[in-house]
Amino acid sequence: MNDPARFELFSFWRTSATYRVRVAFNLKGVQPQEHNVDLDAGEQRSEAFLKINPMGAIPALIDRDPGRSKTPLTQSLAILEFIDETYPAPALLPTGAHGRARVRSLAAMLAADTHPLITPRVRKYLTTAGHFDDAAWRAWQIHWFTTGLQAFEQRLAGEPETGSFCHGDTPTIADICLASIVVVMRVFKIEVAGIPTVMRIMAACEQLEAFAKADPRKQVGAPQA
Ligand SMILES: N[C@@H](CCC(=O)N[C@@H](CS)C(=O)NCC(=O)O)C(=O)O
């Protein structure tokens, strides 16, 4: 199954959205070839990268399999579903329509409504046009991580579909998104109180090699501890 030449993944060590794609590939036993896009150096806004993703954001994925479209895929949630459809086992979405919608909804709470607010482009805007200093930016980060994760916790704790993972007892794209936020909070040394179910499920995720291997601190380019 593993064909290292098939997928090219544009990535950076600490990014939440790329972490999701790494975990999904790991769960499927597939290893993409990674190309570093240094977000600290602003490489996501280089002319070359903007041809791959005009949004100036990673991940971007190119399928090099002969006969397949070479149009880069962007947006981590779309890429997760692409990987799941390309390699159906183990499934990253449940089978029923309601379960699939619930998992997609949980995933979107973090990937669509939380994470984009703390990206480098938002920081750049707020610290220039918005006149934020470092303390204001940190308060902003803490606010949005807390809002997103406490709402996520409320759903996990209150909905009967929650099991040892976000939906039942196997990992889905909701768990991948949950873990993608927690690993980045660790990088930024941010803690959110009152999220015991989130942290219980995070611990379950990290028991799995697919998640553990994707930890930002283990990626090429990560600062040495
Ligand atoms: N909704 C997009 C978000 C992509 C995104 O914002 N990625 C971040 C890294 S985690 C990025 O490349 N940011 C560059 C910037 O903000 O300048 C996805 O899920 O793929």
Side-chain angles (χ1 to χ4, degrees), residues 163-165 171 175 198-209 211:
S164 48
F165 290 94
D175 301 282
V198 168
M199 296 319 285
R200 168 177 69 72
I201 291 174
M202 182 65 190
C205 290
E206 289 190 296
Q207 291 294 312
L208 302 177
E209 177 66 10
F211 285 82

Side-chain angles (χ1 to χ4, degrees), residues 15-17 20 39 44-45 56-59 75-76 111 115 119-121:
T15 87
S16 181
R20 292 170 207 145
L39 297 189
Q44 71 275 32
R45 290 184 293 276
I58 50 175
Q75 293 296 334
S76 61
H115 164 253
T119 52
R121 59 190 175 280

Side-chain angles (χ1 to χ4, degrees), residues 16 19-20 23-24 27 76-77 80-81 84 91-94 98-112 149 152-153 155-156 159 161-168 170-182 197-198 201-202 205 211:
S16 181
Y19 169 92
R20 292 170 207 145
V23 173
L27 284 165
S76 61
L77 292 179
L80 294 188
E81 295 215 21
D84 202 34
L92 301 181
L93 283 168
H98 185 276
R100 292 165 83 81
R102 176 176 182 265
V103 166
R104 289 184 174 120
S105 156
L106 287 169
M109 281 174 78
L110 299 180
L149 282 176
F152 202 81
E153 170 69 26
R155 288 198 56 189
L156 291 181
E159 295 177 2
E161 293 88 349
T162 305
S164 48
F165 290 94
C166 291
H167 193 88
T170 55
T172 63
I173 64 172
D175 301 282
I176 295 176
C177 291
L178 174 160
S180 77
I181 293 296
V182 175
T197 320
V198 168
I201 291 174
M202 182 65 190
C205 290
F211 285 82

